[in-house]
Amino acid sequence: MLHRRASGILLHISSLPSQFGIGDFGPAAYRFADFLQASRQGYWQILPLTPTDSGSGNSPYSSLSAFAGNPLFISPELLVNEGLITHNDLKNLPQPTERVDYDAVTNFKAPLFDKAFKCFKKHHKKYECDFTAFCRNNAVWLDSWALYRALKIDFGGKSWRDWPEEWRFFKSDLLVNLPDAAKEVIEKEKFLQFIVFKQWHALKTYCNERGIQIVGDVPIFVNYDSADVWAHSEIFDLDKDLNPKTVSGVPPDYFSVDGQLWGSPLYNWENLKKANFSWWVERLRQNFRTFDLVRVDHFRGFVQCWAVPAGEPTAKNGKWVDVPYADLFKTFYTYFPELNIIAEDLGEITPDVRELIARYNFPVMRVLQFGLGPDIGTSTHAPHNYPENAVCYTGTHDNNTTRGWYEALSDDDHRRIAQYIGHEISADNLHWELLQIIFKTTSRVAMPQMQDILGLSSDARMNIPGQAGGNWGWRLKEELLTGETAEKLRILTEVNGRF
């Protein structure tokens, strides 16, 4: 499914330059698309576009929905262009910050959304056909999402687990008993989703017309406090009181000696199978509408899941449980003859996972930082061992930047890397040396982080796994997107046949 030798850039929407405190789908996103085109990049990879929440550290991998889009990415400038708000509404901008201040952004954008919704209702006929079609085409998730949001707001932001019993257990007739004020919130939430995806698809079309494909990201698990677990509790491993019996994570690995305790409820695969995996089919359908291809985070979870008993303080005491993956993928291919998936195969990967990947010829991932250790000769992440059907990275959102990673290494590590490259290196030039290496590999796609193209230090890191706060905040300064950088990247792309 990666049909050509190409390259791209990993940069999340939240990191785009913006005067509104967070990146969005507005003019800066289009300028970044122009930068990609000028440097002859074929892909733009992003992190999940789903809603973030302060209670989950604003992680896009721990969302309130597996389907909805993040309203924080709505561009105020595009709302002005639509006539839904005015330029005067944009006078009191958030204080400029080096990193995303999610609370400040939320407080700034909430009144704009209120005004835009009021204008939308006043001029409803202008949007009626498109809005009605959007609600109809997305009803499978939109109705329960909007109801969940209305109830969550009404109950002061509490998790659905702490709602009154008559609302805690989802029933299809809940909407009948709602007060008019809650129904108004439901309509507003649907309106916001309409705007999110309208702005996003316009940006995606702009990219596609310039030969740029969008790579999305699908976390394999969903947050316990989410519209999905609330509305579809039967497909999750919950007890009769709707408490998780087991939760997700991974055993001890490169990132953590205690493993990673993600805490999301595991799936009840038996019930999913009885329902012909319909929830997963709809989830993939939504993502294939939204992106050109998707990276499935923790792909191994489609074969086995690390099940940790609920209440454990770490992920150490879990066990692997099997998933009916043969039936699952047979069903997927019934609906999606071209299953445009990149398999995140990092960490310990067992033969059955490799067999599944090989059977369907899914592209895999390789991360250069993992391949330059003492086992450099044999590591699957060492550049000379990369397969053709792979996407190779300097590092991912969970890694340090290349410069920050190098500065934390020992002198022995520095010598080994210099020997591999063939000459002396320094923290100042390493990032470009490693970019040249991944662009020269046989891997069909090279996908460095934007931070590594610019040679930024560890304060530009996106996420530190296991750290509860302070993540997902890095912001790109627009002045760094220079024509000189685009030209340098264009030359590197062309001389390595990645265009």
Side-chain angles (χ1 to χ4, degrees), residues 153-338:
I153 291 169
D154 193 52
F155 295 129
K158 292 180 181 178
S159 166
W160 64 263
R161 184 63 187 83
D162 299 320
W163 295 352
E165 186 171 346
E166 63 267 30
W167 303 106
R168 191 187 316 146
F169 291 83
F170 176 83
K171 299 180 290 295
S172 57
D173 62 353
L174 283 177
L175 191 60
V176 176
N177 300 319
L178 284 178
D180 290 342
K183 292 178 181 178
E184 179 88 350
V185 175
I186 287 174
E187 187 179 4
K188 178 187 170 185
E189 291 299 326
K190 290 183 177 182
F191 160 74
L192 290 177
Q193 290 303 308
F194 170 64
I195 295 297
V196 167
F197 285 104
K198 181 179 181 179
Q199 290 192 359
W200 166 253
H201 282 293
L203 174 61
K204 180 180 179 294
T205 298
Y206 185 87
C207 291
N208 290 164
E209 289 172 346
R210 285 151 182 78
I212 302 160
Q213 290 188 292
I214 305 294
V215 182
D217 201 319
V218 176
I220 201 160
F221 300 116
V222 298
N223 203 27
Y224 177 63
D225 183 19
S226 65
D228 308 281
V229 178
W230 175 63
H232 303 281
S233 59
E234 72 282 356
I235 67 170
F236 295 92
D237 189 26
L238 309 179
D239 63 24
K240 62 181 178 60
D241 295 318
L242 304 184
N243 296 309
K245 293 193 285 187
T246 56
V247 296
S248 63
V250 289
D253 61 8
Y254 171 89
F255 292 112
S256 174
V257 294
D258 290 327
Q260 296 180 50
L261 185 62
W262 298 333
S264 306
L266 294 185
Y267 296 104
N268 184 324
W269 285 104
E270 181 180 345
N271 284 351
L272 274 164
K273 184 177 178 180
K274 288 177 182 177
N276 203 30
F277 306 104
S278 59
W279 182 87
W280 260 108
V281 168
E282 291 301 332
R283 189 179 186 193
L284 288 184
R285 192 192 312 280
Q286 169 75 352
N287 278 278
F288 292 147
R289 286 174 179 168
T290 306
F291 311 109
D292 295 301
L293 62 163
V294 295
R295 186 194 83 118
V296 176
D297 190 54
H298 193 59
F299 182 85
R300 180 177 179 171
F302 275 143
V303 177
Q304 285 184 319
C305 297
W306 186 250
V308 182
E312 285 284 327
T314 74
K316 282 184 175 181
N317 296 323
K319 65 177 182 179
W320 291 108
V321 296
D322 294 333
V323 171
Y325 65 89
D327 295 321
L328 177 66
F329 278 85
K330 182 180 179 180
T331 301
F332 284 168
Y333 273 95
T334 300
Y335 290 93
F336 312 110
E338 289 191 17

Side-chain angles (χ1 to χ4, degrees), residues 8-12 15-16 32 35-36 39 44-45 394-395 401 431 435 447-456 460 474 476-477 480-482 485-486 489:
I9 296 177
L10 170 57
L11 178 74
H12 193 35
S15 296
L16 287 166
F32 184 69
F35 176 88
L36 290 169
S39 57
W44 179 1
Q45 181 171 335
T394 45
T401 64
H431 66 288
L435 283 178
M447 194 82 74
Q449 294 188 97
M450 191 69 222
Q451 298 95 311
D452 293 341
I453 291 171
L454 299 172
L456 302 181
W474 176 68
L476 172 65
K477 296 178 180 178
L480 297 178
L481 289 177
T482 64
T485 300
L489 188 57

Side-chain angles (χ1 to χ4, degrees), residues 292-465:
D292 295 301
L293 62 163
V294 295
R295 186 194 83 118
V296 176
D297 190 54
H298 193 59
F299 182 85
R300 180 177 179 171
F302 275 143
V303 177
Q304 285 184 319
C305 297
W306 186 250
V308 182
E312 285 284 327
T314 74
K316 282 184 175 181
N317 296 323
K319 65 177 182 179
W320 291 108
V321 296
D322 294 333
V323 171
Y325 65 89
D327 295 321
L328 177 66
F329 278 85
K330 182 180 179 180
T331 301
F332 284 168
Y333 273 95
T334 300
Y335 290 93
F336 312 110
E338 289 191 17
L339 198 59
N340 292 328
I341 283 175
I342 298 168
E344 187 267 279
D345 61 336
L346 308 179
E348 183 182 349
I349 300 300
T350 53
D352 49 359
V353 180
R354 297 197 184 284
E355 190 276 332
L356 176 65
I357 290 171
R359 182 191 309 171
Y360 295 112
N361 199 33
F362 293 133
V364 294
M365 290 177 60
R366 294 295 180 262
V367 180
L368 185 55
Q369 288 184 23
F370 294 160
L372 299 181
D375 62 342
I376 193 169
T378 58
S379 172
T380 57
H381 291 280
H384 55 273
N385 289 326
Y386 288 178
E388 182 180 4
N389 194 27
V391 183
C392 61
Y393 301 78
T394 45
T396 73
H397 62 275
D398 281 334
N399 291 96
N400 203 340
T401 64
T402 289
R403 182 180 184 124
W405 164 78
Y406 181 79
E407 290 175 337
L409 294 177
S410 68
D411 290 342
D412 287 343
D413 292 324
H414 291 168
R415 280 191 290 272
R416 181 175 57 255
I417 295 169
Q419 288 168 353
Y420 188 80
I421 292 174
H423 55 78
E424 290 300 315
I425 51 175
S426 69
D428 291 332
N429 67 9
L430 175 77
H431 66 288
W432 201 256
E433 296 281 355
L434 296 192
L435 283 178
Q436 293 184 73
I437 286 177
I438 67 168
F439 272 62
K440 285 179 170 64
T441 64
T442 59
S443 291
R444 205 161 286 145
V445 175
M447 194 82 74
Q449 294 188 97
M450 191 69 222
Q451 298 95 311
D452 293 341
I453 291 171
L454 299 172
L456 302 181
S457 59
S458 58
D459 58 3
R461 182 171 183 168
M462 196 64 170
N463 181 48
I464 301 176

Side-chain angles (χ1 to χ4, degrees), residues 67 135-144 232 282 289:
F67 292 82
C135 293
R136 181 180 63 248
N137 294 337
N138 293 278
V140 69
W141 63 267
L142 183 62
D143 291 346
S144 57
H232 303 281
E282 291 301 332
R289 286 174 179 168

